[in-house]
Amino acid sequence: MKNLVLIIVVIFCTVMTYGQTEIVPKTPFTKTYLAVWLAASEHSLDVAKAMPEELYSYKPTAVSKSFGEQMVHIGYTVELLTKRYVQGMEVKPNTPDASKMTKVEIIELLQNGFAYTTNVIGTIEQEQLDESCVMYHSGNTVSRAFAFFYVQDHITNHRAKANLYLRMNNIQPPEYTW
């Protein structure tokens, strides 16, 4: 019993310590961008939570992604695109199979992806933000700072589709605020 109480106290203290750590970005850009990023992340999580689990397999057409696939795509590619374009890492896609995941697992994937990028926003240095990168699909050369906008735009694209899926199932999407 003592061990159980000790484990619970340790877990509680860990959660309280890390859960209250405030992110203080190192650059003027990331200090400004953090609030925008956090709002986009929270709104995406609200959209994911709004769809009942039994409708995560819903897709409006045979060639469309399901709602769950849209959410997995967001959650997985947030980290992938941040690594590839913002951090300049070599990464290869390996998207999880949404049909084998629960709503809780998909929301956790989203949270982990958003947390990864949030951490990068908080730790990236100006020198790296000033570097350039070539965008895979367009061939455009942009700064790594600008690549953060691409990551967010990609989320917005797939979140907008997910909002339509909610409406097609007579579910009011979460109100957009910014």
Side-chain angles (χ1 to χ4, degrees), residues 44-64:
S44 297
L45 287 168
D46 290 344
V47 169
K49 292 172 185 174
M51 183 67 94
E53 183 161 18
E54 63 271 13
L55 293 175
Y56 261 57
S57 61
Y58 171 79
K59 55 177 162 178
T61 70
V63 297
S64 300

Side-chain angles (χ1 to χ4, degrees), residues 8-21:
I8 292 171
V9 168
V10 169
I11 291 171
F12 177 77
C13 290
T14 302
V15 168
M16 292 307 293
T17 300
Y18 290 103
Q20 293 183 8
T21 303

Side-chain angles (χ1 to χ4, degrees), residues 46-56 58 67 103 162-175:
D46 290 344
V47 169
K49 292 172 185 174
M51 183 67 94
E53 183 161 18
E54 63 271 13
L55 293 175
Y56 261 57
Y58 171 79
F67 182 88
K103 177 179 177 176
N163 270 331
L164 288 174
Y165 292 17
L166 289 170
R167 289 187 190 282
M168 293 171 98
N169 284 282
N170 298 314
I171 299 168
Q172 179 67 35
E175 185 176 337

Side-chain angles (χ1 to χ4, degrees), residues 60-77:
T61 70
V63 297
S64 300
K65 287 181 179 354
S66 69
F67 182 88
E69 288 169 331
Q70 294 287 359
M71 293 294 106
V72 165
H73 185 71
I74 291 170
Y76 176 75
T77 58

Side-chain angles (χ1 to χ4, degrees), residues 115-130:
Y116 182 89
T117 299
T118 301
N119 183 60
V120 173
I121 292 167
T123 59
I124 197 164
E125 300 285 348
Q126 188 63 49
E127 296 76 28
Q128 193 169 7
L129 290 173
D130 292 338

Side-chain angles (χ1 to χ4, degrees), residues 6-175:
L6 181 60
I7 291 170
I8 292 171
V9 168
V10 169
I11 291 171
F12 177 77
C13 290
T14 302
V15 168
M16 292 307 293
T17 300
Y18 290 103
Q20 293 183 8
T21 303
E22 187 174 325
I23 299 161
V24 181
K26 298 179 176 187
T27 74
F29 169 76
T30 53
K31 285 177 183 171
T32 301
Y33 184 70
L34 179 61
V36 175
W37 173 255
L38 292 175
S41 300
E42 281 304 311
H43 189 64
S44 297
L45 287 168
D46 290 344
V47 169
K49 292 172 185 174
M51 183 67 94
E53 183 161 18
E54 63 271 13
L55 293 175
Y56 261 57
S57 61
Y58 171 79
K59 55 177 162 178
T61 70
V63 297
S64 300
K65 287 181 179 354
S66 69
F67 182 88
E69 288 169 331
Q70 294 287 359
M71 293 294 106
V72 165
H73 185 71
I74 291 170
Y76 176 75
T77 58
V78 164
E79 183 175 334
L80 178 121
L81 296 174
T82 300
K83 285 179 177 178
R84 181 181 286 165
Y85 297 120
V86 176
Q87 295 179 288
M89 302 166 106
E90 289 289 326
V91 290
K92 294 186 184 199
N94 187 18
T95 306
D97 184 349
S99 69
K100 296 180 180 170
M101 299 173 73
T102 66
K103 177 179 177 176
V104 169
E105 291 169 330
I106 292 171
I107 290 172
E108 185 176 297
L109 177 71
L110 285 162
Q111 291 169 327
N112 291 340
F114 295 144
Y116 182 89
T117 299
T118 301
N119 183 60
V120 173
I121 292 167
T123 59
I124 197 164
E125 300 285 348
Q126 188 63 49
E127 296 76 28
Q128 193 169 7
L129 290 173
D130 292 338
E131 293 173 2
S132 61
C133 64
V134 177
M135 305 307 286
Y136 176 76
H137 294 294
S138 67
N140 293 331
T141 300
V142 300
S143 70
R144 295 199 188 282
F146 189 85
F148 273 120
F149 293 118
Y150 172 69
V151 175
Q152 182 183 339
D153 184 66
H154 186 260
I155 292 169
T156 303
N157 175 37
H158 292 281
R159 186 181 67 220
K161 293 173 186 176
N163 270 331
L164 288 174
Y165 292 17
L166 289 170
R167 289 187 190 282
M168 293 171 98
N169 284 282
N170 298 314
I171 299 168
Q172 179 67 35
E175 185 176 337

